Amino acid sequence: MTPTITAFERSPDRGRGLARDMRVRWALEEVGQPYKVRLVSFGAMKEPAHRALHPFGQIPTYEEGDLALFESGAIVFYIAERHAGLLPDDANARARAIAWMFAALNTIEPPIVDRSMAVLLERDKSWHEERLAILDDRVRVRLGELSTSLGDADWLDNAFSAGDLLMITVLRRLGGSGLLEQYSNLSAYVARGEARPAYQRAFADQLAVFTGKPPAS
Ligand SMILES: N[C@@H](CCC(=O)N[C@@H](CS)C(=O)NCC(=O)O)C(=O)O
């Protein structure tokens, strides 16, 4: 059965692939699973019909037969468990890849989202610059630790996994901040992820929603 995901009808990031449907699209492309996309407006996301799929009135959601899922991490994990290519077969390596999935969403993403929210919503406040410096430092602490852990490896734990997929989509949210560029191995890591054919297909598809043009084949 072909799954259906939801994405923004009008992408607030202007097609830069920062909305969280990008993670799900990328995961589906990595495993070669075709999917459909239902675009939702901001208004529709808050209506009961969408909240029946997503209690917090957000995207992405994932529907397949009787199953409806929300939370991008849970959706990527579901896809990774059912298809080869995103989690290693070895039990210990698989557990470590899952730990990286949680690290991406639970340790690295929160300070990055706090920073983006401050830039988006608090620019006009008299204390904005002072607060931004604090938030930048918090992000730098995590980036420094992640950079040390990655070292000169290609991926977080040997082979590319769902942990890398989530981590790279999280790190991409720093675009334009200048922070990622301070860690050359992390910049190269993100670029390595973006160069994957599955990433490129997913990116082109989400961009087409914004440009209104079908992706170039
Ligand atoms: N933790 C959730 C976050 C979902 C989320 O924040 N979605 C954003 C788009 S990336 C959204 O729908 N924002 C609109 C809103 O919250 O009203 C996940 O990873 O799926």
Side-chain angles (χ1 to χ4, degrees):
M1 177 168 295
T2 307
T4 299
I5 68 166
T6 49
F8 285 137
E9 183 182 68
R10 285 212 177 75
S11 175
D13 76 343
R14 309 171 90 83
R16 285 183 298 146
L18 302 180
R20 289 172 177 85
D21 59 290
M22 178 64 200
R23 304 162 178 189
V24 177
R25 291 174 185 268
W26 186 8
L28 289 163
E29 291 288 352
E30 285 285 348
V31 301
Q33 170 65 57
Y35 62 98
K36 295 180 200 157
V37 182
R38 192 172 64 252
L39 302 176
V40 288
S41 67
F42 267 78
M45 276 194 311
K46 308 302 175 193
E47 293 294 328
H50 187 74
R51 283 194 192 270
L53 302 173
H54 196 310
F56 308 115
Q58 297 181 312
I59 60 100
T61 59
Y62 178 99
E63 291 160 82
E64 188 180 3
D66 291 342
L67 175 70
L69 281 178
F70 61 100
E71 283 297 332
S72 58
I75 298 169
V76 169
F77 183 51
Y78 177 83
I79 295 164
E81 284 227 293
R82 273 149 195 84
H83 301 267
L86 285 174
L87 285 174
D89 291 335
D90 174 77
N92 284 359
R94 196 177 181 90
R96 288 196 304 271
I98 294 167
W100 278 117
M101 295 177 71
F102 277 86
L105 302 182
N106 211 25
T107 301
I108 305 292
E109 186 163 48
I112 292 179
V113 168
D114 284 350
R115 186 191 185 280
S116 338
M117 287 299 144
V119 171
L120 198 65
L121 305 173
E122 299 169 1
R123 259 185 193 287
D124 56 340
K125 307 289 185 206
S126 57
W127 37 262
H128 175 65
E129 289 305 322
E130 210 176 329
R131 175 163 155 77
L132 190 60
I134 293 169
L135 296 175
D136 278 356
D137 281 346
R138 283 192 198 143
V139 172
R140 270 196 213 95
V141 167
R142 290 302 183 220
L143 293 185
E145 291 163 339
L146 184 65
S147 168
T148 301
S149 175
L150 180 67
D152 58 6
D154 279 356
W155 308 113
L156 291 167
D157 194 292
N158 297 312
F160 175 82
S161 79
D164 295 295
L165 185 150
L166 290 177
M167 190 66 82
I168 289 164
T169 56
V170 164
L171 293 175
R172 287 192 74 254
R173 299 177 73 91
L174 286 169
S177 70
L179 290 170
L180 193 64
E181 291 72 10
Q182 295 170 23
Y183 305 85
S184 58
N185 65 337
L186 294 184
S187 298
Y189 171 61
V190 170
R192 206 172 292 124
E194 290 173 340
R196 291 177 73 86
Y199 175 94
Q200 307 238 327
R201 289 193 295 274
F203 186 88
D205 282 349
Q206 64 77 41
L207 179 63
V209 174
F210 179 71
T211 61
K213 293 182 198 145
S217 51

